[in-house]
Amino acid sequence: MTNYLKPAAMLLLLLTLITGVIYPALVTALAQWFFTEQANGSLIRDEQGQLIGSALIGQSFSDPKYFWGRPSATAPYAYNAAASSGSNLGPTNPALTDAVAARIQALKEADPGNKSPVPVDLVTSSGSGLDPHISLAAAEYQLKRIAKVRNMDETRLRELANAHLEPRQWSVFGEPRINVLKLNLALDQAGL
């Protein structure tokens, strides 16, 4: 029996060393070497080096002078990265219908003069509940409100939003999108 246990234990030890120590250390080192920003969470810092957030996780903006992102489906608070999940509500679920109606109402109350249709990404959460991006249509929908609150030219605001438009990944996947945190930081830095 010891003839079988000794090779099995040695193999277990060897595979544990390879898959539990060497491989993770190698992958971590390669990620740090070639993809430093992504491996460290795509963190965004201000001029003083203070951490503001991550380009990969949405943040809650409710002040009318900022662009608002997609609603978050995380609990116990919005954009909780430790609780990433979708709402898991189907299209015929009354709770989803009520939530979307309430979000549309809140957008209409924030900008009563806006008669444009509300883009879907402003009233529905993403699959992760943490999406940091909005569509160009969602940014366009909010332009008048922000320009009015900030007392600025709508054309200048539109140019700033277009300057932050990220293309499809590898020109194929996804849709063009705008990172809400980066755009709002640019608004503040421009003094607008």
Side-chain angles (χ1 to χ4, degrees):
M1 176 113 131
T2 57
N3 291 342
Y4 295 114
L5 288 178
K6 186 175 179 182
M10 292 303 290
L11 186 59
L12 175 65
L13 184 62
L14 178 66
L15 289 175
T16 300
L17 184 66
I18 291 171
T19 61
V21 177
I22 296 171
Y23 178 74
L26 179 65
V27 169
T28 301
L30 289 173
Q32 287 295 328
W33 183 265
F34 292 108
F35 307 104
T36 305
E37 182 184 342
Q38 294 90 335
N40 292 315
S42 300
L43 301 177
I44 298 174
R45 298 184 183 276
D46 64 13
E47 294 82 23
Q48 292 78 31
Q50 290 283 80
L51 180 62
I52 296 172
S54 170
L56 304 175
I57 299 173
Q59 290 190 13
S60 183
F61 290 98
S62 58
D63 192 322
K65 71 178 185 176
Y66 290 114
F67 285 93
W68 297 345
R70 290 189 79 160
S72 175
T74 63
Y77 55 87
Y79 302 104
N80 178 4
S84 173
S85 67
S87 66
N88 293 332
L89 299 176
T92 59
N93 189 318
L96 178 64
T97 306
D98 294 343
V100 168
R103 292 169 184 157
I104 290 172
Q105 182 64 32
L107 287 167
K108 296 288 185 187
E109 287 173 4
D111 189 7
N114 192 341
K115 303 300 180 204
S116 303
V118 177
V120 70
D121 55 325
L122 286 178
V123 294
T124 57
S125 63
S126 65
S128 69
L130 301 172
D131 194 351
H133 297 98
I134 57 173
S135 64
L136 184 58
E140 185 73 33
Y141 179 85
Q142 301 178 71
L143 285 176
K144 287 184 187 203
R145 179 195 79 229
I146 297 166
K148 182 179 177 184
V149 170
R150 288 184 178 257
N151 195 26
M152 64 176 292
D153 182 41
E154 203 175 310
T155 305
R156 171 71 180 110
L157 187 58
R158 183 174 288 109
E159 288 170 359
L160 189 63
N162 284 326
H164 284 80
L165 187 65
E166 299 172 9
R168 295 170 186 246
Q169 189 170 11
W170 301 313
S171 301
V172 177
F173 298 113
E175 294 296 322
R177 62 211 176 275
I178 297 172
N179 186 293
V180 177
L181 176 58
K182 290 180 180 180
L183 180 57
N184 285 336
L185 288 172
L187 268 174
D188 285 344
Q189 289 171 353
L192 303 175

